[in-house]
Amino acid sequence: MSPVIDVLMLQLPVPSSPALNTPLAAGYLAAYAEAQGLGELARITILPRAIADHAGDAALVDAIVARAPNLLGLSLYTWNSERSLAVALRAKQRLPRLRVVVGGPEVQPDNAWLLAHPAVDLAVIGEGEQTFAELLRALATGQPPLAQIPGLAVRLPDGQLHFAPERVALAELAPIPSPYLAGHLELPPDGMQMVEISRWCPYACSFCLYGRNMGAKLGGRYFALERVLAEIRWGIARGVRSVHFVEANLNLVPLFWPLMRALAELNAERQLTFYAELRGEHLSDEVVAALDAANVRVVEVGLQTANPVALRASHRRTDLAKWAAGTRRLYAHKIEVLLDVILGLPADDAAGVAETLAFIEREQLGPYDIFTLQVLPGTAVRREASEHGLVFQERPPYFVLATRELPYAELRRLRRELKLGVGLDPDAVEGMPAPRLEALATTDESESESDFVRRLDLRGGVPDVLCDPNKLAAHVDLLLAVRAIPALTAQLAALMAASPATIFDLYLLATRAPPAPAELRAWRDALPHEPGYLDRVAVYTREQPQPQHARVSPRLWLVLPWAAQAEPAAYTGIAQIIWRYDAAPDEPLPLGAWRAAGGDGIWLCLPAATPDAVRAAMLAEARAWAAAYGRAIWSP
């Protein structure tokens, strides 16, 4: 009898959105392998979300090693590929016989850095269920030879990857069981349930991966209505309140009308909120009314550009007049519309961007967000990059850095101007977790999340050992006095080296004169750092595109007494300034002085004896001020 293969699957989250990290792909692989009778040959476990969503790097390595799998499967996306591979490599160093198989949209034949990574032993290219099942059978029985499995790339003894022939995708999706109903997936109470409708798109936009293998014909590439509704009922039974339809064109698939009618009945009390991607040209009055009745409240409709030249160069077919009319119908039903403008598209220029913004205003469309083109692996825009003069990052997020029409300086100027124009911070790093506004609360205890330490209050003294790095979360607040920095630096450096992808927020409390900006910069720059995904997201904070990243962690928060003499602008790019304000319950808050002081926010401290009603009123007033002026209020 063949030995049982122990398989551990791992998917890491967007740093700012762990609640959305449903490992749907891993669930599909496990459910399909089980349905193919591989349960006696392979034990497949998905790393629990309490670990995957919250653990720091060192803790993740420990969790993998403790389970000692034969095969580690990684679901790779732009936001997690570098971190996942770094964690896997460290696990392999402790488990020499461990094999690592990677899959997901990042795994493409033209993604050289990923395929050359020393952590990668096997790579599934394209749709994964069939390839993964055959891989498990081959590992357990020796047949077929790995090199003969379609869709699989195998690392040879000489270090080269051997690519088998391309895998033909499943003609229909019915053979794939639901990972929810099969018991392979879990959802946190605040999570969003991902429900896939089809694997198809009739369009061929050059910057997108949707439907790249299947062409315009849908065929059987969608899941049955009964299965979709059963998954939604599964979520309802577990307290789910938000469902995201994984589908590029929900209003174009055959399931749309029966699904909307069923949801209008199932969700008659509107306890569920649905999120969907739609094709704007096909949003008739009847379609939008059906979306409203089902309680589809948040939708993406694209746009990207209204420049006809850029639309043609991107192979994007959009009837702009029909699209705008359909989108306005969504506004009429008070459905939130996520409208995108992408900078850096092929053949687009400053005049084309101006035309896009004029189109939005002329057509009376709502708010929009500004994105930078990602030249993703496997896309046509990457294959055509030289034709359009695209210069882009070789690693995630693969941001375009220049085009034939727009050099970096002009792209950066447009990006900043447009972000400011819609009220967005051009220096904000998409995917970066927001600071925890309770971080400065007075306590002597370290707080934890899912058993991982996410807060260390070191104001009370200098311990011999700060914390076991294997206990740290992926986002950690560290509170320390400025005067204690020299004594703590070595221990802080050790924590950061053990978990290089962890976001460290260092709150430095000054009781006297703050450290000089140059001194603080030199100290931070000397701490360990390995550029990663978020650092590359931040590239447009730089005036020049080299290097192709800007350091984002640790974030330094310099906490100053209200009476301290300091100019916040002097710390730009080094530390963010928080003013400690000790308020008296019987005095008005000096909101005008707060605004004039600058900085990033106020630590509002009230006497312990302040009545609850007074405390609540003062906090509400302070938070309203912060919202109006783009600041933050830290409070107990």
Side-chain angles (χ1 to χ4, degrees):
M1 185 174 178
S2 301
V4 176
I5 304 294
D6 279 309
V7 183
L8 180 65
M9 309 294 284
L10 171 63
Q11 178 177 302
L12 296 180
V14 177
S16 62
S17 306
L20 304 184
N21 187 40
T22 303
L24 192 59
Y28 279 134
L29 297 178
Y32 184 80
E34 188 177 79
Q36 297 301 304
L38 294 170
E40 295 183 358
L41 299 179
R43 283 188 294 261
I44 304 175
T45 303
I46 300 174
L47 192 69
R49 291 191 59 179
I51 301 173
D53 294 357
H54 302 292
D57 300 343
L60 285 169
V61 175
D62 256 18
I64 294 168
V65 172
R67 288 160 175 78
N70 306 111
L71 184 68
L72 175 64
L74 303 176
S75 295
L76 299 185
Y77 301 87
T78 55
W79 58 84
N80 71 13
S81 56
E82 287 185 283
R83 184 185 181 208
S84 299
L85 291 172
V87 166
L89 186 60
R90 288 169 61 180
K92 288 183 70 171
Q93 291 165 353
R94 292 171 59 183
L95 296 172
R97 297 183 180 179
L98 176 65
R99 279 176 159 172
V100 174
V101 57
V102 297
E106 280 282 275
V107 185
Q108 302 291 337
D110 61 356
N111 201 3
W113 81 266
L114 188 149
L115 295 177
H117 198 284
V120 175
D121 299 307
L122 304 156
V124 174
I125 298 172
E127 191 170 85
E129 284 89 357
Q130 297 175 87
T131 304
F132 187 72
E134 289 187 27
L135 169 63
L136 296 183
R137 190 178 303 279
L139 291 177
T141 67
Q143 294 297 326
L146 296 180
Q148 295 180 14
I149 298 176
L152 188 67
V154 181
R155 182 81 62 198
L156 301 176
D158 64 1
Q160 298 300 308
L161 271 184
H162 167 80
F163 292 84
E166 184 177 350
R167 165 71 63 178
V168 177
L170 288 164
E172 58 180 27
L173 303 185
I176 305 175
S178 165
Y180 295 108
L181 306 181
H184 294 290
L185 294 178
E186 55 179 331
L187 285 175
D190 59 343
M192 177 182 283
Q193 186 179 8
M194 306 295 178
V195 175
E196 190 173 27
I197 302 298
S198 82
R199 298 181 184 178
W200 162 82
C201 182
Y203 303 97
C205 306
S206 68
F207 48 81
C208 181
L209 283 172
Y210 258 125
R212 64 188 182 280
N213 296 322
M214 299 309 296
K217 293 185 178 181
L218 176 58
R221 300 280 296 171
Y222 60 92
F223 291 108
L225 175 65
E226 294 74 16
R227 174 220 171 96
V228 171
L229 293 176
E231 290 190 330
I232 293 171
R233 292 190 185 97
W234 179 95
I236 292 173
R238 286 155 180 79
V240 167
R241 290 292 177 263
S242 183
V243 174
H244 181 174
F245 290 122
V246 183
E247 169 57 53
N249 309 280
L250 182 63
N251 53 324
L252 299 188
V253 296
L255 259 65
F256 176 75
W257 284 108
L259 178 60
M260 291 301 104
R261 287 191 287 267
L263 292 181
E265 181 177 347
L266 177 65
N267 197 33
E269 297 181 2
R270 303 173 83 83
Q271 294 182 344
L272 284 178
T273 297
F274 296 99
Y275 177 113
E277 298 176 50
L278 307 170
R279 191 69 188 185
E281 297 95 315
H282 299 274
L283 290 171
S284 65
D285 288 327
E286 294 78 12
V287 167
V288 176
L291 292 166
D292 189 13
N295 206 33
V296 177
R297 300 267 44 101
V298 183
V299 302
E300 289 186 46
V301 293
L303 183 58
Q304 284 83 46
T305 180
N307 175 5
V309 176
L311 286 170
R312 287 193 297 272
S314 300
H315 313 311
R316 183 164 174 78
R317 306 196 308 271
T318 302
D319 184 320
L320 291 170
K322 288 184 177 180
W323 179 91
T327 301
R328 285 194 297 270
R329 293 184 182 104
L330 295 168
Y331 298 136
H333 282 263
K334 295 183 170 51
I335 295 174
E336 182 181 354
V337 177
L338 303 183
L339 196 61
D340 304 340
V341 174
I342 297 182
L343 298 179
L345 287 169
D348 207 5
D349 56 13
V353 173
E355 168 53 28
T356 298
L357 302 186
F359 169 81
I360 291 173
E361 182 177 2
R362 189 167 61 245
E363 295 293 337
Q364 300 178 332
L365 303 173
Y368 56 90
D369 202 350
I370 306 299
F371 294 92
T372 305
L373 176 67
Q374 294 174 267
V375 186
L376 297 172
T379 58
V381 75
R382 179 174 283 222
R383 293 192 297 274
E384 300 166 359
S386 59
E387 174 186 341
H388 298 290
L390 303 186
V391 179
F392 57 93
Q393 296 168 321
E394 294 181 358
R395 293 201 177 198
Y398 312 107
F399 277 166
V400 68
L401 300 175
T403 74
R404 187 177 56 214
E405 291 77 15
L406 294 171
Y408 177 82
E410 180 68 358
L411 261 175
R412 183 175 186 269
R413 182 194 68 77
L414 280 171
R415 182 183 179 278
R416 296 185 71 84
E417 180 181 298
L418 269 58
K419 289 267 189 182
L420 289 169
V422 295
L424 298 174
D425 179 2
D427 293 325
V429 179
E430 294 92 345
M432 192 75 168
R436 298 188 182 104
L437 300 182
E438 70 279 9
L440 292 168
T442 302
T443 177
D444 293 328
E445 297 180 1
S446 298
E447 299 179 2
S448 65
E449 180 174 68
S450 301
D451 298 324
F452 298 106
V453 174
R454 66 185 183 103
R455 184 177 185 273
L456 282 170
D457 188 344
L458 307 177
R459 290 174 290 183
V462 183
D464 292 333
V465 178
L466 289 182
C467 175
D468 180 353
N470 298 329
K471 303 291 187 184
L472 286 186
H475 179 194
V476 179
D477 299 325
L478 289 166
L479 284 66
L480 61 154
V482 167
R483 65 178 182 276
I485 286 177
L488 292 171
T489 296
Q491 293 160 310
L492 289 174
L495 292 183
M496 293 175 188
S499 290
T502 286
I503 305 301
F504 289 94
D505 281 342
L506 303 188
Y507 290 87
L508 310 177
L509 287 88
T511 55
R512 296 185 291 274
E519 176 186 349
L520 203 55
R521 182 190 294 276
W523 176 71
R524 191 185 86 149
D525 289 349
L527 293 170
H529 179 243
E530 297 177 16
Y533 168 74
L534 289 174
D535 302 292
R536 293 187 182 85
V537 169
V539 65
Y540 273 94
T541 63
R542 300 180 55 85
E543 292 187 2
Q544 300 296 327
Q546 298 297 335
Q548 296 180 1
H549 58 83
R551 184 169 185 167
V552 299
S553 182
R555 289 188 292 194
L556 303 187
W557 305 86
L558 187 56
V559 184
L560 303 177
W562 176 244
Q565 299 297 310
E567 176 50 59
Y571 291 88
T572 300
I574 305 166
Q576 295 169 281
I577 302 300
I578 302 173
W579 300 101
R580 172 174 176 151
Y581 186 82
D582 293 287
D586 56 350
E587 295 179 1
L589 296 175
L591 303 181
W594 284 1
R595 184 182 179 190
D600 295 275
I602 301 293
W603 179 19
L604 182 57
C605 300
L606 292 164
T610 303
D612 289 345
V614 174
R615 182 184 300 274
M618 295 182 76
L619 282 173
E621 182 183 12
R623 287 168 179 157
W625 168 86
Y629 293 105
R631 312 284 178 86
I633 297 295
W634 278 261
S635 63

